[in-house]
Amino acid sequence: MFARSHRLPARLLAVLVLAAALLAGAATLRGAEYDEQYTLLLLSGTPRPVWPEAVFTAREARAAEQGQTSLITIAHDLRTPDVHPPLYFWAAAGWRDLVGPGLVRARLLSVLLGLGALVAVGFIARASRIPPVLATLFTLGCYGFVYTGAIARGFALAQLLSLCGVALLLRAERRGRAGIGLAGGLALGAATFTNYLA
């Protein structure tokens, strides 16, 4: 898929296994951030609890993260007290329904999205005549990539969609296919619907 020889896919697979271990380790070991707690509370239907007006225990905080909410409520709660695009939070809600609540479980969505982003980097590298394994290793060595691939925020999804958009546009240019270019444009648009920094 990425190269003309039979050895390169095995190398790329090895990079992806290394990336999975690195991102999963970072997702498991790093401390919680405020923005991640915001994600967990939003997904439970408590987007902006009133704090720190009074002391609250870890048990109370964990209980606040256990509720359920709808995609419409998530969109409403993002518009009312804050301004974040909803696509990541909708995806995270679906992921939560699949794997259950909890910070590390929420972070694993970003791990999977980060692995997808590395595959997109490989496609972009190949289209640009850069060795895909080298490009993916270089990307994996960047702190910003590991950070975005290990926290429960929309950065990994925005990054994946942006990279897929670029890969599709490069492919459309090479093959002269407008449909592929349209898909690339849609992926870039979806990235901005995921995180306003995209």
Side-chain angles (χ1 to χ4, degrees):
M1 158 168 89
F2 286 102
R4 293 164 186 86
S5 75
H6 294 294
R7 293 186 321 183
L8 195 55
R11 290 181 189 165
L12 187 61
L13 182 59
V15 171
L16 292 175
V17 169
L18 173 65
L22 182 64
L23 294 175
T28 304
L29 298 174
R30 68 179 298 119
E33 296 183 12
Y34 171 81
D35 283 348
E36 292 181 300
Q37 293 305 127
Y38 175 79
T39 297
L40 298 178
L41 291 168
L42 179 72
L43 298 180
S44 69
T46 314
R48 292 276 188 186
V50 180
W51 59 25
E53 287 184 5
V55 175
F56 60 94
T57 65
R59 179 182 288 168
E60 292 168 330
R62 187 166 289 137
E65 297 172 358
Q66 299 301 314
Q68 289 289 110
T69 193
S70 70
L71 299 182
I72 292 171
T73 302
I74 289 171
H76 174 270
D77 290 344
L78 287 169
R79 277 187 36 234
T80 305
D82 211 339
V83 285
H84 288 290
L87 189 57
Y88 165 75
F89 297 103
W90 290 342
W95 177 255
R96 183 179 187 244
D97 289 344
L98 185 66
V99 301
L103 180 59
V104 173
R105 290 178 183 177
R107 286 175 171 173
L108 291 178
L109 174 60
S110 292
V111 169
L112 290 176
L113 296 169
L115 293 174
L118 280 177
V119 171
V121 165
F123 277 111
I124 292 167
R126 182 175 178 216
S128 303
R129 294 189 167 93
I130 297 170
V133 171
L134 185 61
T136 53
L137 279 172
F138 182 75
T139 303
L140 183 59
C142 297
Y143 170 78
F145 177 81
V146 175
Y147 174 78
T148 60
I151 65 167
R153 289 302 276 175
F155 307 124
L157 180 56
Q159 184 171 257
L160 171 63
L161 290 167
S162 295
L163 289 167
C164 285
V166 170
L168 287 166
L169 290 173
L170 287 171
R171 185 173 177 147
E173 182 180 48
R174 284 182 59 202
R175 298 203 176 184
R177 294 209 169 152
I180 297 173
L182 177 61
L186 289 173
L188 292 170
T192 63
F193 198 55
T194 300
N195 189 288
Y196 52 82
L197 296 176

